[in-house]
Amino acid sequence: MQRCVGLAKGLAQRAWASQAAPSAIKHVWCRSRTVASLSFVPIGRRGRVATRETANSASNAVPTWFTRWYATGFDDVNHFHHVCDEVLEQLSDDFNDLVDDHPDGDTFDVSFGDGVLTLNLASHGIYVINKQTPNQQIWLSSPTSGPKRYDFDSESQTWVYSHDNVGLHRRLSDELTAALGETLEFEPPEL
């Protein structure tokens, strides 16, 4: 039973990470019966979500409340779109310059549309950068470091990956420098 309740808490953490829809209810089943119910309830402003996990065991049926804050740094969705579009357009221009100037550039490809920027470096892999409006994040799929979700830091005006505090532009600079064997520096636009 404890293992199943631990599973319920793990599901709650994964649901927080995926920004589960408000009021979504999930049940955890163990041996054909519900051992925990997870409820996601929006509370207040700025994306505060309270999560309640209730274990349905005979010895412990006391609900426990967990709270997680995620701040977006944007006043509204239009501000988010403006900032993302500026960043993606600037990166698109930088990538196009890279493709034009690199000796293997004829095998590379850059495409940008509908909030998705793709840099295909042939044998070096494909980078995909896109905006995620529901989470107000920019996501990077990298052949080197894998998937990353970047949150906007309003103080530094940059997109930062919260697990290692490395900015989107710094990561792209480091990875593309290593992949292509030439020093590249990508800077965030003035916002």
Side-chain angles (χ1 to χ4, degrees), residues 29 36 68 77 95-96 112 128 158-161:
W29 295 84
R68 175 181 182 249
V77 166
F95 291 165
N96 279 311
F112 177 53
V128 179
T158 58
W159 292 90
V160 179
Y161 182 57

Side-chain angles (χ1 to χ4, degrees), residues 98 102-104 108 121 124 127 172-184:
L98 169 68
H102 196 273
D104 295 331
F108 299 164
L121 296 176
H124 301 289
Y127 287 81
L172 288 170
S173 297
D174 293 346
E175 288 187 14
L176 292 175
T177 294
L180 300 176
E182 63 181 78
T183 303
L184 300 169

Side-chain angles (χ1 to χ4, degrees), residues 74 76-84 132-133 136-137 159:
F74 297 105
D76 60 30
V77 166
N78 292 330
H79 183 221
F80 165 76
H81 285 293
H82 170 73
V83 170
C84 280
Q132 289 292 318
T133 303
Q136 294 191 346
Q137 295 175 324
W159 292 90

Side-chain angles (χ1 to χ4, degrees), residues 4-188:
C4 292
V5 172
L7 174 65
K9 291 180 181 178
L11 286 174
Q13 291 170 347
R14 282 193 291 277
W16 286 331
S18 68
Q19 308 292 326
S23 303
I25 298 175
K26 306 287 182 198
H27 299 283
V28 177
W29 295 84
C30 183
R31 297 193 179 117
S32 301
R33 66 187 187 114
T34 303
V35 295
S37 295
L38 308 174
S39 303
F40 303 91
V41 183
I43 297 177
R45 296 184 63 219
R46 307 296 280 158
R48 180 178 179 207
V49 176
T51 301
R52 184 173 76 175
E53 174 266 315
T54 306
N56 296 329
S57 66
S59 63
N60 183 9
V62 179
T64 306
W65 286 88
F66 300 96
T67 305
R68 175 181 182 249
W69 291 86
Y70 55 96
T72 63
F74 297 105
D75 297 330
D76 60 30
V77 166
N78 292 330
H79 183 221
F80 165 76
H81 285 293
H82 170 73
V83 170
C84 280
D85 291 343
E86 288 289 322
V87 168
L88 292 174
E89 287 174 14
Q90 183 249 351
L91 284 172
S92 177
D93 292 342
D94 290 345
F95 291 165
N96 279 311
D97 291 343
L98 169 68
V99 167
D100 291 342
D101 297 340
H102 196 273
D104 295 331
D106 57 340
T107 63
F108 299 164
D109 183 45
V110 177
S111 63
F112 177 53
D114 295 326
V116 179
L117 173 61
T118 304
L119 173 63
N120 185 341
L121 296 176
S123 63
H124 301 289
I126 300 172
Y127 287 81
V128 179
I129 305 167
N130 63 302
K131 63 181 176 180
Q132 289 292 318
T133 303
N135 301 348
Q136 294 191 346
Q137 295 175 324
I138 288 182
W139 289 6
L140 165 69
S141 175
S142 160
T144 305
S145 61
K148 305 278 187 240
R149 297 177 179 185
Y150 290 86
D151 296 301
F152 187 70
D153 180 8
S154 56
E155 289 180 22
S156 65
Q157 298 288 297
T158 58
W159 292 90
V160 179
Y161 182 57
S162 63
H163 295 279
D164 60 10
N165 291 322
V166 174
L168 172 65
H169 291 82
R170 170 60 27 222
R171 184 168 318 277
L172 288 170
S173 297
D174 293 346
E175 288 187 14
L176 292 175
T177 294
L180 300 176
E182 63 181 78
T183 303
L184 300 169
E185 286 294 325
F186 300 105
E187 296 292 330

